Amino acid sequence: MKNLELARIFYQIAEFIEMDEVSFRSRAYNKAARVLDSLEKDVQDIYQKGGTKALKKIPGIGEAIAKKIEEFIKTGKVKTYQRLKKQCPVDLETLTMVEGLGARKIKILYKKLGIRNLKDLEKEAKMGKISELEGFGEKSEKNILQAIQFVKAGQNRFLISSILPIVRQIINQLKELPQVYKISIAGSARRMKETVGDIDILVTSNKPDKVIDSFVKMFTSPKQSEGGPRISKVWAKGPTKSSVRFRAGFDCDLRVVKKESFGAALQYFTGSKDHNILIRKIAKKKGLKLNEYGVFKGKKKIAGKNEKEVYQAIGLPYIEPELRTNTGEIEAALRQAQGKLNQLPKLINYNDIKGEIHCHSNWSDGSRTINELALSAKKIGYQYLVITDHTKGLTIANGLDEARILRQMKEIDKVNKSLKGIKILKGCEANIKVDGTIDIKDEVLDKLDIVLAGVHFRLKMDKKDMTERIIKAIENPHIDIIVHPFGRLIDKRPGYQMDFKQVLKAAKKNKTVLEINAHTSRLDLRDINIRQAVEAGVKLAIGSDIHSVNCFQMMELGIAQTRRGWAEKKDILNTRTLTNFLEFFKDKE
DNA sequence: GCCGTTTTCGGCCCGACTGTTTTCAGTCG
């Protein structure tokens, strides 16, 4: 997949252009880079199937950039990029990460001081050379030195699961302020992206400066309890906006607006960038102006109080935050506005889940007893919980063999008798062996209510073999659900090679369900795959891959992922009541 | 450089904050 390599090159070309001119050329390269960054199809495939003509069909890619993509695929190089790099041989990717440094300043630093990378930058700043330059000063130099430390500390994206609890803490504390009226999280965290770079918080108040002041004081105060969120650096602090870094390593923007602008501001700060650009274009075409304060007709404000009103004012139905990625949701909204029904999905809700389908007890590698897990599930309000311990092929997880599965079934019967208000279902998470067969005998699988199966070893197979392996499991009448279908780990492991279209075909034909694994490090299926599955008519189920009682809360992430995949309640099996859930699998065998 | 229900030219989303300068460029989101 050459998409990301090309995206990196185009991002840098954009910066190089920016050094010399305020131009729309650099914007075009940025746009192309962003598009490639999130393009699900392999750009090389597209090229090989349809040449530059096909490339030009990708939004944001025209004649010139298509040629450069072609050049890269053919020669592994982009001459324009190499020429620019030669003229100004700096490590743009790292230097632009330094807060406050952009293309222009980086060029000055290179021309005047020969700074090429972070090391040079730190050296010159420490010697006081930077403050002597025109356009820089004492403060810039000090800020650069601090910013370098943050870049060195690395990490600029965080798992949504690790960020959300902290953000909720921050929001709860801000709510205590008497000047705060409304408050909401915005940005990619509101869209529930798998990973987020920074956090946006939006507040309404009549005394914005007071709120900003209190915010900064509140979280830098030594009184702020040990372990709670603490601000480690204030990047900016104005009358309505402040930008800070928390000790946990992420940046946070707080923005205060008047309540009549809350909707417009929330819409704006929720993004995504591409979604907003298109929305504003639509507004403009209608002779309106959309900014974070409202929708304006001339000087007259016609909307802004809430998001619904903002979308309405430009002629669109409300679009859920998780959908705002400019991947077809605006086109769907436009069609819906023209009277076509059900163009935007009616997304599954966060309270639609009726049971947990993926749960490990202390019989294998979980830490809790079946009874403890059942009590937790009941407390959430679930109607059922499927116990799905690992099986013998996974010795490292103390997997169960046939005899232990049978013993565990008896134990579950016992717990079921002692508990009211929740039903424990018997299951397992079996292993799909290299040849696609299962590591537990059919006659035992037959006795279980729900059988999950997944690939847990030999993850690196070629595409054809892995596809066959998984399809064989899908065709196995004893298998109900394929878990973590791609085996990916967020930002760590890309997931195995397989022909997902074939897999979907087989799943549909055999009525086999695919899991959306909600585990914080997995989130597998990905949103684009969920969308493909929904379109193919394949049923899905969200599983939290529970290993302890505090894992139940991961379901929220799974639902978010599911929403980003355009799935509705009807697509997700564990939104069904116990009876309907079991009914689905009955006629499978 | 891209794009087109103003289609081959002339637009391109829009505003806050900072630092260094005295009216604004650069950066960021």
Side-chain angles (χ1 to χ4, degrees), chain A residues 263-279:
Chain A
L266 190 56
Q267 195 285 323
Y268 171 59
F269 288 107
T270 298
S272 70
K273 191 184 178 74
D274 289 339
H275 176 91
N276 281 356
I277 289 174
L278 193 46
I279 290 287

Side-chain angles (χ1 to χ4, degrees), chain A residues 369-379 382-385 387 411-425:
Chain A
T369 65
I370 294 172
N371 195 56
E372 285 170 329
L373 293 161
L375 286 172
S376 291
K378 187 181 159 181
K379 205 170 159 194
Y382 286 160
Q383 295 180 9
Y384 48 96
L385 169 71
I387 296 294
E411 164 82 15
I412 291 177
D413 283 336
K414 235 195 262 171
V415 176
N416 267 330
K417 265 185 203 154
S418 72
L419 278 179
K420 287 249 151 44
I422 186 157
K423 172 89 174 174
I424 312 301
L425 297 174

Side-chain angles (χ1 to χ4, degrees), chain A residues 280-291:
Chain A
R280 286 187 180 196
K281 271 188 190 163
I282 290 172
K284 200 168 182 178
K285 256 184 209 158
K286 289 189 187 281
L288 305 169
K289 187 175 77 165
L290 171 61
N291 60 24

Side-chain angles (χ1 to χ4, degrees), chain A residues 17 73 98-99 175 214 246 346 399 479 482 544 569 582:
Chain A
I17 294 169
I73 288 170
V98 177
E99 186 84 18
K175 269 186 194 162
S214 308
F246 274 90
K346 290 189 186 73
I479 305 300
I482 302 292
S544 307
K569 187 176 173 183
L582 288 174

Side-chain angles (χ1 to χ4, degrees), chain A residues 20-52:
Chain A
D20 298 311
E21 46 181 318
V22 183
S23 89
F24 291 101
R25 267 175 72 226
S26 96
R27 258 194 233 179
Y29 277 103
N30 257 319
K31 168 96 197 276
R34 278 205 313 277
V35 168
L36 286 173
D37 233 348
S38 56
L39 191 68
E40 58 201 79
K41 285 188 194 144
D42 188 345
V43 79
Q44 192 166 8
D45 276 356
I46 297 174
Y47 173 71
Q48 268 149 11
K49 279 181 194 145
T52 50

Side-chain angles (χ1 to χ4, degrees), chain A residues 39 101 191 211 232 238 242 295 314 347 376 415-416 441 507:
Chain A
L39 191 68
L101 285 191
R191 303 199 312 274
V211 174
S232 57
S242 174
V295 183
I314 60 169
L347 296 182
S376 291
V415 176
N416 267 330
K441 287 187 185 132

Side-chain angles (χ1 to χ4, degrees), chain A residues 312-504:
Chain A
Q312 243 162 25
I314 60 169
L316 295 178
Y318 177 72
I319 300 172
E320 300 275 4
E322 292 92 333
L323 296 181
R324 299 181 199 168
T325 48
N326 190 24
T327 51
E329 78 282 4
I330 297 174
E331 290 80 355
L334 282 167
R335 288 196 301 273
Q336 201 158 301
Q338 283 160 7
K340 282 193 188 169
L341 295 176
N342 304 324
Q343 298 295 306
L344 282 168
K346 290 189 186 73
L347 296 182
I348 174 177
N349 280 313
Y350 284 94
N351 56 6
D352 277 340
I353 296 297
K354 301 258 179 2
E356 174 60 56
I357 59 142
H358 191 159
C359 181
H360 299 271
S361 75
N362 61 356
W363 283 65
S364 64
D365 62 348
S367 64
R368 297 305 183 111
T369 65
I370 294 172
N371 195 56
E372 285 170 329
L373 293 161
L375 286 172
S376 291
K378 187 181 159 181
K379 205 170 159 194
I380 296 171
Y382 286 160
Q383 295 180 9
Y384 48 96
L385 169 71
V386 194
I387 296 294
T388 56
D389 276 306
H390 287 291
T391 54
K392 63 185 177 189
L394 214 60
T395 40
I396 194 167
N398 191 23
L400 280 62
D401 60 13
E402 285 82 354
R404 285 179 70 212
I405 290 178
L406 293 172
R407 281 215 304 280
Q408 189 189 49
M409 288 173 67
K410 282 185 187 159
E411 164 82 15
I412 291 177
D413 283 336
K414 235 195 262 171
V415 176
N416 267 330
K417 265 185 203 154
S418 72
L419 278 179
K420 287 249 151 44
I422 186 157
K423 172 89 174 174
I424 312 301
L425 297 174
K426 297 158 189 162
C428 71
E429 181 183 3
N431 298 293
I432 303 172
K433 296 197 280 189
V434 176
D435 63 359
T437 60
I438 301 300
D439 65 339
I440 294 293
K441 287 187 185 132
D442 284 352
E443 60 259 37
V444 173
L445 296 180
D446 218 17
K447 293 188 185 353
L448 294 167
D449 297 312
I450 300 291
V451 176
L452 315 184
V455 169
H456 292 101
F457 37 78
R458 269 300 294 280
L459 308 182
K460 283 185 182 158
M461 285 172 85
D462 71 35
K463 195 168 175 177
K464 185 168 162 282
D465 291 343
M466 186 57 97
T467 307
E468 280 172 13
R469 179 180 178 185
I470 290 174
I471 287 179
K472 187 154 183 202
I474 287 174
E475 288 169 344
N476 184 330
H478 294 101
I479 305 300
D480 299 303
I481 302 175
I482 302 292
V483 293
H484 42 73
F486 274 90
R488 55 115 40 164
L489 295 176
I490 299 172
D491 286 347
K492 280 193 186 143
R493 196 168 72 200
Y496 24 80
Q497 300 285 317
M498 65 167 158
D499 185 336
F500 193 53
K501 276 196 183 138
Q502 297 288 335
V503 167
L504 286 174

